Amino acid sequence: MSAVIRSTGLWTPEESVSNDELVACYNAYVEHYNAEHADAIERGAVEAKNPSSSGFIEKASGIKSRYTIDKEGVLDITRMRPRAKPRANDELSLMAEAGVAAAKEALETAGRDAADVDAVICSATSMQRTYPSMAIEIQDALGIEGFGFDMTVACSSGTFGIINAVNMIETGMAKSVLVVTPEITTPQLNFRDRDSHFIFGDVAVAMLIEHEDVAGGQGWKIIGRNLMTKFSNNIRSNFGFLNASEEPAPAFEDRYFVQEGRKVFKEVCPMVAEMILSDMGNFGLKPDQMKRLWLHQANINMNMMVAKKVFGRDFTEDEAPVILDEFANTAGAGSLVAFHRHHDGFEAGEKGLICSFGAGYSAGTVFVEKL
Ligand SMILES: CC(C)(COP(=O)(O)OP(=O)(O)OC[C@H]1O[C@@H](n2cnc3c(N)ncnc32)[C@H](O)[C@@H]1OP(=O)(O)O)[C@@H](O)C(=O)NCCC(=O)NCCS
């Protein structure tokens, strides 16, 4: 294989919301809701809502805070949704702006500029619009020639994006590809749903993937990769272009992210651990050769379970770093953000794995070796 992760870049919104802030807002909403429906609750016609708790959130998920594009809107109990100011067609759109910032950092880190890049892949859970594609807008904003396209594979968007870039490099279609994963997820979340109101955070991450011949011995060689999907309704969003045509129109709440978290947990952990071990076998790799696993960041307990199955022993925080405390679940960006933040301390020849998993179900493995 001849592709290399040459560099990475990250963008975060300026504002972050702590569990305590989020829970205070949710509980104020619940108090208001229960008071408003007191008679119906008394008659048994409406179910009272239960309060949320920071302790539960941290223990059940590992999340302590999340970045958001608009803290005020999220914490306004009459709204509980981030505000996004509409932009004119000649302004850079929000998602492209986030992607461009992350991409610029990746280019700067590698000492590259637009002329060095042949293609842009924008791979994320949802796109701000369908066309013109976000990738083409990002490509234009950066001044890159060549081509760009969007793709979505939910929480595996990042790894599927990398693997598409690797395929293009191996077939000779491109020598250098920017994979950009802007995940603006807080607008996709129902902040009035106790089961999920704490889950997501906003971020953008970018990776510059280069042919080994141009990488100059720098970066992380990709030594194995694999993709997997298996249909499941346990994580779902029914948001889509047909919503406006549907009769009766779906309630706004029905267009948000929903999940059966416990089922996801139970089904996805063994599926992913099995995939990683089988991929390692196919690529001639052994668990004890893995210095670090940069796993998808949805839930700390899921990561502990997957990492323990893969290593076959207890492991240190350094061997499976977690970024959930600061970022929460950033969907397709999570494992790439973990890599971006925690790739120091590797000697040439040492190996690791970037692995995503989530809705679809979908999972992607990218095995790397430090050059
Ligand atoms: C969502 C998730 C954190 C919930 O954790 P969990 O341990 O499964 O919690 P459960 O949903 O089983 O709920 C346990 C209890 O906590 C309660 N609870 C749920 N949300 C709560 C909240 N915000 N505050 C306080 N209690 C809460 C439940 O009502 C339940 O109470 P009960 O036992 O009396 O019925 C966890 O299931 C998860 O992360 N799953 C994987 C999700 C995933 O990877 N998704 C991918 C998305 S891209």
Side-chain angles (χ1 to χ4, degrees), residues 192-208:
R192 293 194 169 104
D193 174 38
R194 177 175 174 255
D195 287 347
S196 65
H197 76 116
F198 53 89
I199 284 181
F200 284 134
D202 299 332
V203 83
V205 66
M207 277 191 173
L208 183 64

Side-chain angles (χ1 to χ4, degrees), residues 131-205:
Y131 48 83
S133 86
M134 301 312 303
I136 300 175
E137 190 179 359
I138 292 168
Q139 175 200 358
D140 181 63
L142 292 169
I144 293 168
E145 298 202 355
F147 62 94
F149 62 88
D150 290 351
M151 49 180 283
T152 63
V153 200
C155 291
S156 289
S157 293
T159 54
F160 275 56
I162 295 171
I163 292 169
N164 265 281
V166 173
N167 293 345
M168 294 197 304
I169 286 169
E170 285 189 353
T171 56
M173 188 177 268
K175 284 231 179 246
S176 173
V177 183
L178 256 177
V179 177
V180 186
T181 301
E183 287 289 13
I184 309 298
T185 57
T186 58
Q188 301 169 44
L189 197 53
N190 182 357
F191 283 97
R192 293 194 169 104
D193 174 38
R194 177 175 174 255
D195 287 347
S196 65
H197 76 116
F198 53 89
I199 284 181
F200 284 134
D202 299 332
V203 83
V205 66

Side-chain angles (χ1 to χ4, degrees), residues 86-335:
R87 297 184 184 189
N89 286 357
D90 58 0
E91 286 179 278
L92 196 62
S93 50
L94 174 67
M95 203 170 155
E97 184 177 283
V100 164
K104 278 187 175 162
E105 187 188 334
L107 290 174
E108 271 164 33
T109 303
R112 301 288 191 241
D113 60 32
D116 299 313
V117 181
D118 302 320
V120 177
I121 298 175
C122 180
S123 188
T125 303
S126 287
M127 296 299 157
Q128 189 176 332
R129 59 164 190 272
T130 314
Y131 48 83
S133 86
M134 301 312 303
I136 300 175
E137 190 179 359
I138 292 168
Q139 175 200 358
D140 181 63
L142 292 169
I144 293 168
E145 298 202 355
F147 62 94
F149 62 88
D150 290 351
M151 49 180 283
T152 63
V153 200
C155 291
S156 289
S157 293
T159 54
F160 275 56
I162 295 171
I163 292 169
N164 265 281
V166 173
N167 293 345
M168 294 197 304
I169 286 169
E170 285 189 353
T171 56
M173 188 177 268
K175 284 231 179 246
S176 173
V177 183
L178 256 177
V179 177
V180 186
T181 301
E183 287 289 13
I184 309 298
T185 57
T186 58
Q188 301 169 44
L189 197 53
N190 182 357
F191 283 97
R192 293 194 169 104
D193 174 38
R194 177 175 174 255
D195 287 347
S196 65
H197 76 116
F198 53 89
I199 284 181
F200 284 134
D202 299 332
V203 83
V205 66
M207 277 191 173
L208 183 64
I209 315 290
E210 290 186 340
H211 193 288
E212 203 178 358
D213 291 351
V214 296
Q218 301 284 315
W220 302 76
K221 187 174 162 95
I222 293 167
I223 54 171
R225 84 272 194 183
N226 194 18
L227 311 172
M228 197 253 273
T229 53
K230 187 173 190 292
F231 186 74
S232 167
N233 274 320
N234 288 334
I235 315 170
R236 190 162 175 122
S237 163
N238 284 330
F239 175 78
F241 73 91
L242 277 180
N243 291 155
S245 300
E246 281 167 346
E247 284 175 7
F252 200 74
E253 284 68 24
D254 293 341
R255 304 179 197 178
Y256 285 115
F257 161 91
V258 286
Q259 72 168 347
E260 295 279 349
R262 198 100 305 251
K263 284 191 190 160
V264 173
F265 199 113
K266 279 199 184 137
E267 291 172 8
V268 169
C269 290
M271 184 187 90
V272 169
E274 223 168 89
M275 177 185 181
I276 294 173
L277 290 169
S278 147
D279 288 350
M280 278 185 186
N282 292 336
F283 302 134
L285 297 166
K286 300 226 155 35
D288 61 12
Q289 287 178 290
M290 293 295 115
K291 185 179 168 88
R292 202 164 291 163
L293 307 179
W294 297 278
L295 297 177
H296 176 54
Q297 304 282 319
N299 181 297
I300 193 169
N301 302 313
M302 281 179 103
N303 288 22
M304 307 252 287
M305 196 176 279
V306 171
K308 190 154 187 192
K309 280 196 173 160
V310 171
F311 285 123
R313 57 169 169 80
D314 289 335
F315 56 93
T316 64
E317 231 179 279
D318 187 56
E319 289 177 302
V322 169
I323 52 138
L324 281 160
D325 50 349
E326 177 182 347
F327 291 90
N329 183 344
T330 50
S335 54

